[in-house]
Amino acid sequence: MSANIETLLFPTPLSDTSGLPLRVQLRERVLAAIGSGLLGPGDRLPTMRALAVHLRVDLNTVQRAYAELERLGAIQTFRARGSFVSDMPPPPDEERRAADIRDLAASTIARCQALGLEPEAVLQAMRDLLSLPNP
């Protein structure tokens, strides 16, 4: 992993105008990095302080995002050692999964409205993308 992981994970700043709280944007970017393979099991995350400085956000924002990632089972934090991507994905919890889907849908709708986009058009674009063959 690169010495400047903050820049790899967050090449662009978080958006104050997206309609999503900064901690949610941060959490989602880390989850996307894990899902895409940019971060793999055992990879070390930036320190909370270094990430707060890089993103120019309050340290509490990063702490809350990391705490949510830990509750989801995506990362593990060890005192005096740091935070690392979990070796194994969290076991599926159908109730939690349904809540996550609702939360993602609600945040997507809020972001659409903040950007002046029609949620139905975004839904159709998602359906179109899902019907494409995998490369």
Side-chain angles (χ1 to χ4, degrees), residues 17-96:
T17 60
S18 75
L20 288 176
L22 295 176
R23 71 173 165 70
V24 173
Q25 293 177 54
L26 196 156
R27 181 192 71 210
E28 293 304 313
R29 286 206 200 174
V30 172
L31 288 172
I34 293 169
S36 71
L38 180 62
L39 287 174
D43 283 348
R44 185 175 186 178
L45 295 172
T47 66
M48 292 180 209
R49 188 169 311 281
L51 194 53
V53 168
H54 176 76
L55 294 173
R56 297 185 180 126
V57 299
D58 188 75
L59 178 59
N60 289 328
T61 299
V62 179
Q63 288 172 332
R64 286 193 303 265
Y66 273 37
E68 289 177 14
L69 288 164
E70 192 162 16
R71 275 193 298 277
L72 290 172
I75 69 170
Q76 295 174 306
T77 301
F78 302 98
R79 188 177 185 112
R81 286 189 31 222
S83 298
F84 301 84
V85 176
S86 295
D87 289 333
M88 296 180 53
D93 174 4
E94 290 305 315
E95 188 175 311
R96 180 72 220 157

